[in-house]
Each structure stands twice: as C-alpha cells, then as structure tokens.
Amino acid sequence: MSLSTAAWTTAGVLLTVLAALLLVRRDRQGDVACRWLAVGVVAWGAAFAAQGASAGDITPAVIQLTLTDLLALLGLPFLVVALLRMAPTARLAGSGWLADGGLLALALFTIGWIAVLRTAYGATGVGPGVFVVDLIHPVADLLVLGGTLTLALRAGPRGRMLYGALLAVTVGDFLAVQARASGMHPGAWPQVAWLVAIGLLGLIGLLPATAPADSRRPGSDATATVLAIAAAAVGGLVTLIFALVTWGHSGSLALVVGGLLILAVAARIASLLRQAAVASALVEQVGTQFEQLADRTSDVVVLCDEAGLIQYASNAVADFGYRPGGLTGTWLPDLVHPDDLGAVLRAAATARRGGAAAQAEATQLGCRVRSSDGTWRHVQGTVSRYSATGPALLLVTARDISDQIALRQQVAQLTFHDGLTGLPNRSYVEERAKDLLTGRRGQAGQADRTGAIFLDLDGFTAINDSVGHGAGDLVLAQAGLRLRSLVPAHDTVARWGGDEFAVLIENAASPREVVDLAQALTEAIAAEPFDVAGRQLSITASVGVAFAESDQGEHLLRNADLAMSRAKDAGGGRVEVFAAHMHADVIRRIELTSALRAAIDDDGLGIEYQPVVELSTSRVASVEALVRWTRDGERVEPAEFLGIAEDSGLIVPLGTWVLGQACRQVVSWRQSGWLVGLSVNFSLRQVSMPDFAEMVLTALDDSGLPRSALTLEVTERVLIEIGPPIMEGLARLRHLGVRLAIDDFGTGYASLAYLRELPVDIIKIDPSFVAGLGTDGTLAMLTRTVVQVGHDLGIEIVAEGIERPEQLELLRAMGCGLGQGFLVARPMTAQRLESLATFDGHGPASLSPVAPPFPSAAESAGSPSADPAGAPPAAAPATGL
C-alpha cells in the first residue's frame, strides 16, 4: 500500500468512525433510523478500507467480485431500512412508484454506460462473464436509487441527504468499475465520492428527526414521477444521439436501447394520462355526489376559495332567504356578524393549515350570519379544507340554531328572573352575591361596601286569603316597581320569594347610605295604598339590612333575612340592622316550629280557661279557651309560639285541635249541670281557610256542644279584610246559631258607625280602654260610648282586662254586662276552674268564696306571678286562639 493510499484509507476510517458516533448518539436519543444508518455507514467504511488494502494490479480478464463490493452491497439493505423508518409508507400501494424507479434506474445506467463504461470495456475486450460480475455493484446501486426516490422525497431533508449519499456511492462505484475494467486501481475521484457519501450519512445524525409536514404530502410522489420521466427522456435522447453519431460501429444497439427508453417514457406518460382521466371522471362524479348530498341535508353547505369567495352554496340557503345560485361570487365574510368575524377568520386560517386539532377546533365554531331580510341568525358550523374537486377550497357547513339560542335565553330568563315582577330571582341574587364577594375577598375596605336589604310585605298572607291570589300578585308587581324606581340602576332588585324582595348594594359609599336606602324603601311601600281590584290596600314593610363583613361575607344574604325577620317580629313597618344574636333567635324559631308540630300531633299542648262573668251577679257566663305549651319542663310563652304557628301555617291544625278539645270539655261541664258557654279566638289565616265553617261545625257535631254555646272571636281586621266568600261562611255559622265576637275592639279599623254593618253578636272592649278608667277621662268617655252603642244595636259588651276595683265599679255604672280580667279570674286549668266554681245545675255558675271573683283593691295589687295557674302578668295579657 502506497503512502497516498494509506492516507485515503486513514481519512475514510476516521470519517466513518465520526459518522458512526453521530448516528449512534442520535440512536440513543430514540431515533431508530439512525441505528440502521450507523450499520450501513460502518459497512461502507469497511468497504472503503478494504479497497485501500487491496491496492495492486488488476487483471481485467478475471471475474472479480471483491470484498469491497460485498461490504458495500451489505450496507445497502440497512440504508433502505433506515429510509423506510424515516418516511411515511402510506399510499405506496400500486405499481407507479416501481415503474418510476425502473425508468430512473434504466436511464441512469444507459447514461452511465455511454459516458463511463463503454470505452473502458470496449478497449479491454473482456468476456461477458467479467462484464456481468463487474456491473453487479453499480446496478444494485441504481436499483436502490430508482426504488427509493419516492421514499427519499417523502422523508424530508434527511431522506434527501441519504439519497444524495446513495447517488455519490453510485457515481463512485461507476468510476471504480471503469478503473478496474481499464486494469487500474480506483483513483482519487471514486474515493472522493465514497468519502462524500460517508460524510452525508454522518450529517444525518445532526438533523432533526421529524420531517416537515409538506414532505409527507402526495406532491412528493408527483415530484418523483417527474424526475423519473425526465431522466428517462434525457437517457433516451442521449442514447439516440449516440446511436446516430456511432452508426456503423455499435449504433444499432444504442438505437434500440434509446428507442426502448423513449417508448417507456411514452408508455408511462400514457399511463399517467389515463390515470388523470379516471381521476378527472372520479372528481366529477364526487363533485356531483357532493352537490346531491349537500342539497339533501338541512344544513347549509358552502364551498369558497381561501380568500372567502363563495363558489357553491347548497339549496338550504333558501331557509335564510337566499337563492342557491345567488350567493355564488359573494364574499363569505360579508355575511358574518362583525363581532364574530374574527373567530371565523381564525377558524378558516386553522383549516388552511390543516391538522386534526384544527378540525376539532373548527367544528366548534359558532357565529351569527345575516339572512336576506337583514336579521341575524345564530348558526353552529364547521370550517375544513376540501380538495376532492380540484384546487383546495374551504368547506363551510352551518346549521341554524336560532330557535335553540332563543330557547336557551328563555330558559336563562326563567331560571334567573321572576315571571310575575320581571325582576331577578333568588338564584340570580345568590350567584351575583357569590361572584361579588369572591371577587372582593382579601381587598381591604371593599367587603363592607357591599350590603343587602331584605324586605317583606306585612300582612300579605291576609291579602291573599281575603282578596285573592290574583290581587296579591298585583300588589307584588306594584311593589317591585316602587322598589326598582328607588334603587340605583347598577344595584340589584330581586324578588326573593313569596312576598319578600332582596336588594344587593354592590358599591355603597358608606353603611349609612344602605340604611338610608332601606328606610326610603320602607316609606315607599307605606306611603300610598295599593290600588287592587277597586280596593285601596295599605301595606307596611319589614326591612332587614346586613353588610358583608370581611370575616363572614358569605352570610350576607342570610343575615339580611334574619334582620328582616326581627323587624317583622317587632311589629313590622320598620328597619332592623343585623346583629349577631339574631342568628341564635332564628335557630330557636326553627327548633320551636319542629317541636310545636310534634306537640300538635302528639297532644302535647294544654288549654287554660279564663272565665267571662256577669258583672252584676258574679256568675260565669262563658270561658275563653287559651292554649298553653310546656316544652321540656319549661313554659313557652303564647306570644312566642303562636307567632311561630302563624308564620309556619301550624296555626290551622293548632286551632282545630284547641276547638275540639275545648268543645269536649265544655260539653262535660254542661252535662254536669254547668251551663257555660265557650269562646275561642281565630286569626285571619284560620278564618280564611276554605273549609273553616265545615271545621267548626264538625267540632260541634263531634262533641255535641250546642251551636249557640260557641262564640268565635276575631279581630276587627279579620272582618274588614276578608272577602265575600269568607264572610258568607261566617254568616252561615251565625245563621246556624254560632255567635261572633269582635276581639280587642278599638285598636283596629272599625269605627262605631261601622258596627251596624258588621255581622257580630259581641264586642270585647280592648284592655287599653279599660286600663284608663278612673284615670283618663277620654278613655272613660270612649268606653261609655261603645257600651251605649252596643246596647242600642243589641250587641253584648264584654270588658277585657279588669284589674282594679274602681274599673269594675265604673263598668257597672256604665251598664256593661260582662267582663273578664285578673280582678275577676285569671286563666286556669279545667280542674282548678271546677274546684273554684259553684253551680246549682240550673244556670251559670259563680266562683266560690274560696277564690272571690272580685277581691279588694289591696288584694288585687298583689304580684301576678303568685297566680297558681301561672298566667302572664297584666301588662301582657294571655294570648290565645
């Protein structure tokens, strides 16, 4: 081996090692293709080294397939496998790529033979055996070149670099065969070509592993076909020219080969034309089928170019008022709502770029489009790339969802707004308060600028019961308008439910501003009567105010509701600001409500009876039934649990129970000879029940109590506010013998002149009038007037709250026939009343001397708490049904 040969060999070995290291490093990074390339480059490097080691005389006449050839041929399969790992192999079906590969290989061999090998083999005159064996290596190179052209173009830069390495090796092998055919060792040029090939393989290890997207498109296959046909055409022309120039020597064979190449090119072109014709017919068929399918679907289908110019529109555009052909040539962006145009253009750009993710995004596209009458329709559609009928177009589909959007908006309106008043409802307020307080959490000084006002219409239940629910709805609507007119537009006024309203103040200047607004809302409700069904209804409101304190802002609405309940418990028509103890009060009310319901079901209540006596004879004319409740050994005040019963609706079953029990007790007394009457209190809510009269008659019939022995006590407000159906029920009871009394007369709506129209039998003068007898001349005059009017109208008069002897004497002087109070007798159990009462079996009983009905003034001055029956003090008379 000469010095120059050793230098070439050393350079080849070093370059091979470097290339192999680069490829192995990339293989360890997960690029499997580089593993096969590394094996191939080692095989080529070994062939290069073997070439240098075999330097010496070459005998052309000897059949030669050297170790260099074997090692080089061994590397080719590994390089093909590497190329298969780089390039997508989809769409390789069919014989087109094989035909292109064959044309390319034949053309390159023909050109290589004429340009390189013909002269060398012609000069040496070697036999056909040597000729065939020598050409095994370059022919194999050409076959690989022809067969891998499509794959190399698909594989991107790395595939093209590998193809360049194969081309360099092929050139080097042709030059080496030429040298051996001439009896010489391959010179510098073949070795340069081999070193270039090894270097190109090594550089692949430096390129990114993923080929660009455009290298995977079918255009790569078309490029391969064009290159193959061009090479074959050039090979054929070169061969024909060579045949003409050398006609007399070997031109006849060249002419045949050139002609075959030209015929092969013509055949390939004809095949492509036939395929194009078939494809064109298929495209036309697909286009026709596409239009037929598009016209059959209810969705709008539009094809436009990438600039947005409409090329086709399906018949469904008629639903938008357009003629199908009338949209051709129209710019699609001109039909899209300006607010939605940006999203549509982005979807179109994404579709042009292609990709599965882009299509998924496009299918979610929603926008508004203009119909022919200028209105905007909501559509749900897709934008995708469409290229089945020629140049790439954008396929746009759209479905009219205007009805769905309208329904969704209607559902949202119904979900978050009140149908009666048009105001937001409870759900909206809760969501708004949650968002508002969440956004301000942690912002110093911001939480306490948020306030809530809850407003409840006092006595609204009575309006529904007396005038009707339709009238109640009108009151709610008018109340909503009054509230909305006073609250700033940026704050929320909502109907919380029933007769309750809520106001959410989002950015108050100070807590005082919220309280002032609450006071203004209270005054607005009470300022003017509500004109409903020809009646003027005066209503007050109970209002609660709360602020979003930083540590418990989430309880804002609850606290306002608690404050409102406290205002209502205090008598209504007022504003209360939340205080911490209110929550505990509400918890107690909830517990009492549950316990009271159980007590009614389990007969856990009791009844005390307060006598009503004839002031002139001290005989007991009747008793008033008063319900009592002892819970866990502790007495629950009537004022507390009766209010709970009224609010919760338990007052109805409670009243039924009391009436039944009291009727049976009085029947028992009457059967024993004590002919006493019974009085029972009823509220507006009870009297307004549709079956109230039937309930009373059932209790009388079940117990056997004569109807004339029962007196129903109601307040003035009940008789004034009830509607005709309820009044007819009371009139029916009076017609059947049940008596009707006005309780607490003088504190409500009735006037003396109105007594003539009220269907009542008894008037019970309110204790506040009796309390002033002997000390207040005006009250004494009013009491005397009521007694006199009652006598004139034939109405019995009962004075309530008699506590001092001078009151008793004055009432007797006024001619008041009946009275009750602590001076007469406190409420007591049936057993105690029986022990104190004496009767002769022929009429009303009187109280026994053991407990004189009319004690002296000194005796009456004693503490009320000493009463064995445990009655409430005079300042707070017992409350009953």
Side-chain angles (χ1 to χ4, degrees):
M1 181 185 300
S2 64
L3 181 61
S4 60
T5 301
W8 281 109
T9 302
T10 302
V13 171
L14 292 176
L15 187 59
T16 299
V17 171
L18 178 61
L21 290 175
L22 291 174
L23 294 170
V24 169
R25 180 180 65 88
R26 179 53 64 86
D27 172 47
R28 291 182 176 178
Q29 296 175 357
D31 190 351
V32 181
C34 288
R35 180 185 309 169
W36 299 100
L37 288 177
V39 177
V41 80
V42 169
W44 279 8
F48 188 85
Q51 177 68 39
S54 62
D57 293 336
I58 302 289
T59 304
V62 179
I63 297 176
Q64 300 185 59
L65 189 60
T66 65
L67 179 61
T68 300
D69 295 324
L70 293 176
L71 291 173
L73 290 172
L74 180 63
L76 289 178
F78 294 104
L79 300 180
V80 172
V81 173
L83 191 57
L84 289 172
R85 299 301 298 264
M86 293 181 189
T89 56
R91 297 170 58 93
L92 273 181
S95 58
W97 68 280
L98 291 175
D100 294 338
L103 278 178
L104 180 62
L106 181 60
L108 293 178
F109 179 80
T110 301
I111 295 173
W113 175 263
I114 294 175
V116 178
L117 300 180
R118 179 188 60 83
T119 304
Y121 279 103
T124 57
V126 296
V130 176
F131 174 77
V132 172
V133 173
D134 274 350
L135 292 180
I136 288 178
H137 191 180
V139 168
D141 292 340
L142 289 176
L143 291 177
V144 171
L145 276 177
T148 59
L149 177 60
T150 300
L151 288 175
L153 293 176
R154 287 186 179 186
R158 298 202 315 166
R160 290 191 284 271
M161 187 168 289
L162 175 55
Y163 198 80
L166 290 171
L167 186 60
V169 164
T170 302
V171 172
D173 288 344
F174 264 87
L175 294 177
V177 169
Q178 180 194 34
R180 287 206 305 268
S182 302
M184 298 181 296
H185 189 276
W189 288 114
Q191 298 183 83
V192 169
W194 289 333
L195 290 179
V196 169
I198 294 173
L200 289 175
L201 291 180
L203 290 176
I204 293 177
L206 299 176
L207 295 179
T210 303
D214 59 353
S215 66
R216 300 180 179 179
R217 295 177 181 174
S220 302
D221 299 353
T223 302
T225 300
V226 171
L227 289 176
I229 292 175
V234 171
L237 291 176
V238 169
T239 304
L240 290 176
I241 293 173
F242 173 76
L244 295 176
V245 172
T246 60
W247 184 261
H249 301 284
S250 58
S252 58
L253 180 60
L255 183 62
V256 172
V257 173
L260 290 176
L261 279 174
I262 295 300
L263 288 177
V265 170
R268 180 59 177 150
I269 293 175
S271 174
L272 292 175
L273 291 176
R274 185 173 61 257
Q275 293 177 10
V278 172
S280 178
L282 181 60
V283 166
E284 184 177 354
Q285 181 181 2
V286 169
T288 302
Q289 294 176 348
F290 170 81
E291 293 185 4
Q292 292 175 349
L293 180 62
D295 288 338
R296 289 175 183 173
T297 181
S298 59
D299 292 355
V300 173
V301 180
V302 174
L303 287 176
C304 62
D305 60 22
E306 295 188 352
L309 190 65
I310 296 178
Q311 308 291 330
Y312 165 80
S314 66
N315 291 335
V317 298
D319 295 337
F320 292 78
Y322 297 107
R323 292 184 300 103
L327 287 180
T328 303
T330 303
W331 291 100
L332 183 61
D334 292 343
L335 302 177
V336 179
H337 194 283
D339 294 343
D340 302 331
L341 184 58
V344 173
L345 294 178
R346 286 192 296 272
T350 304
R352 285 194 295 269
R353 291 193 299 269
Q359 294 303 321
E361 179 182 350
T363 56
Q364 302 301 319
L365 178 65
C367 64
R368 288 161 291 178
V369 298
R370 188 178 67 246
S371 59
S372 62
D373 59 3
T375 59
W376 295 103
R377 305 269 194 95
H378 290 269
V379 298
Q380 182 74 40
T382 63
V383 181
S384 58
R385 192 178 181 86
Y386 182 80
S387 56
T389 58
L393 299 173
L394 291 179
L395 172 63
V396 181
T397 65
R399 175 177 299 175
D400 189 354
I401 59 171
S402 299
D403 292 341
Q404 299 177 28
I405 295 296
L407 179 60
R408 193 178 307 156
Q409 293 173 346
Q410 184 179 3
V411 170
Q413 176 72 18
L414 294 176
T415 302
F416 293 106
H417 286 78
D418 174 53
L420 176 62
T421 63
L423 297 173
N425 61 11
R426 176 173 182 167
S427 298
Y428 179 88
V429 174
E430 290 177 336
E431 289 295 326
R432 181 59 187 153
K434 179 180 178 182
D435 295 342
L436 186 64
L437 296 175
T438 300
R440 293 185 175 181
R441 183 171 292 137
Q443 299 181 19
Q446 291 296 318
D448 57 2
R449 299 181 65 182
T450 304
I453 302 173
F454 270 46
L455 183 145
D456 179 88
L457 301 180
D458 299 327
F460 182 77
T461 302
I463 294 177
N464 273 339
D465 294 340
S466 59
V467 187
H469 289 275
D473 291 344
L474 292 177
V475 170
L476 291 174
Q478 294 179 34
L481 291 176
R482 294 188 188 185
L483 299 178
R484 181 68 271 182
S485 65
L486 291 176
V487 177
H490 58 270
D491 294 325
T492 302
V493 178
R495 184 185 176 195
W496 186 254
D499 60 340
E500 296 181 12
F501 294 86
V503 179
L504 186 62
I505 307 300
E506 300 188 5
N507 196 22
S510 66
R512 182 73 253 176
E513 179 182 340
V514 179
V515 175
D516 290 343
L517 177 60
Q519 189 63 46
L521 297 178
T522 307
E523 296 172 356
I525 295 297
E528 297 181 7
F530 289 82
D531 187 2
V532 177
R535 303 182 64 174
Q536 298 290 316
L537 301 179
S538 296
I539 301 176
T540 60
S542 300
V543 180
V545 179
F547 300 96
E549 299 177 6
S550 57
D551 59 339
Q552 52 178 2
E554 65 273 14
H555 301 316
L556 171 65
L557 301 179
R558 184 203 70 181
N559 294 344
D561 194 13
L562 294 177
M564 180 193 70
S565 298
R566 176 54 61 91
K568 196 169 188 67
D569 293 341
R574 57 186 295 162
V575 176
E576 288 281 349
V577 179
F578 173 78
H581 65 83
M582 293 181 180
H583 184 240
D585 294 344
V586 171
I587 296 300
R588 174 171 171 78
R589 288 179 65 88
I590 294 174
E591 294 175 349
L592 287 179
T593 300
S594 178
L596 179 59
R597 181 178 288 106
I600 296 173
D601 295 337
D602 301 336
D603 289 338
L605 302 171
I607 299 178
E608 292 183 350
Y609 301 89
Q610 185 173 23
V612 177
V613 302
E614 295 178 355
L615 298 183
S616 60
T617 64
S618 300
R619 291 184 177 275
V620 179
S622 64
V623 291
E624 182 179 355
L626 304 173
V627 66
R628 297 291 184 259
W629 182 24
T630 299
R631 176 173 177 251
D632 298 332
E634 178 183 352
R635 183 186 180 105
V636 183
E637 292 299 327
E640 182 176 15
F641 75 81
L642 288 177
I644 293 174
E646 187 74 26
D647 293 339
S648 63
L650 293 175
I651 195 71
V652 175
L654 178 58
T656 303
W657 181 88
V658 169
L659 179 61
Q661 294 289 331
C663 285
R664 285 189 289 272
Q665 180 61 60
V666 171
V667 168
S668 175
W669 286 333
R670 294 175 70 90
Q671 289 175 349
S672 300
W674 185 12
L675 303 181
V676 66
L678 172 65
S679 296
V680 181
N681 284 288
F682 289 96
S683 69
L684 176 61
R685 187 164 191 170
Q686 294 170 282
V687 174
S688 300
M689 296 300 295
D691 60 346
F692 175 73
E694 295 300 328
M695 183 272 293
V696 172
L697 294 176
T698 299
L700 292 172
D701 294 340
D702 291 345
S703 64
L705 182 68
R707 294 169 181 174
S708 59
L710 176 64
T711 300
L712 305 180
E713 296 186 11
V714 296
T715 63
E716 301 170 47
R717 178 183 175 188
V718 172
L719 295 178
I720 297 300
E721 295 187 359
I722 57 177
I726 301 174
M727 186 64 76
E728 291 174 1
L730 293 178
R732 175 190 173 200
L733 290 174
R734 288 190 71 220
H735 178 72
L736 294 175
V738 178
R739 308 214 304 166
L740 186 62
I742 298 181
D743 194 19
D744 299 333
F745 182 82
T747 60
Y749 302 92
S751 65
L752 294 176
Y754 198 52
L755 285 177
R756 186 183 302 275
E757 302 177 13
L758 293 177
V760 296
D761 304 289
I762 301 171
I763 293 176
K764 301 187 75 173
I765 303 175
D766 187 74
S768 61
F769 284 77
V770 177
L773 295 179
T775 59
D776 189 324
T778 301
L779 290 177
M781 180 189 67
L782 291 174
T783 303
R784 183 179 296 106
T785 303
V786 171
V787 173
Q788 184 61 45
V789 171
H791 289 166
D792 294 342
L793 296 177
I795 299 175
E796 290 186 1
I797 305 297
V798 178
E800 294 186 282
I802 304 173
E803 298 182 3
R804 300 193 309 275
E806 62 268 25
Q807 296 171 346
L808 176 61
E809 295 302 328
L810 288 173
L811 288 170
R812 282 174 173 170
M814 294 177 185
C816 181
L818 301 170
Q820 67 181 126
F822 290 169
L823 182 67
V824 177
R826 296 174 181 274
M828 60 191 74
T829 64
Q831 294 78 10
R832 180 169 176 77
L833 183 58
E834 291 173 359
S835 67
L836 296 180
T838 59
F839 50 92
D840 56 13
H842 301 287
S846 62
L847 295 181
S848 69
V850 177
F854 311 129
S856 64
E859 293 173 327
S860 67
S863 172
S865 62
D867 179 76
T879 303
L881 288 169

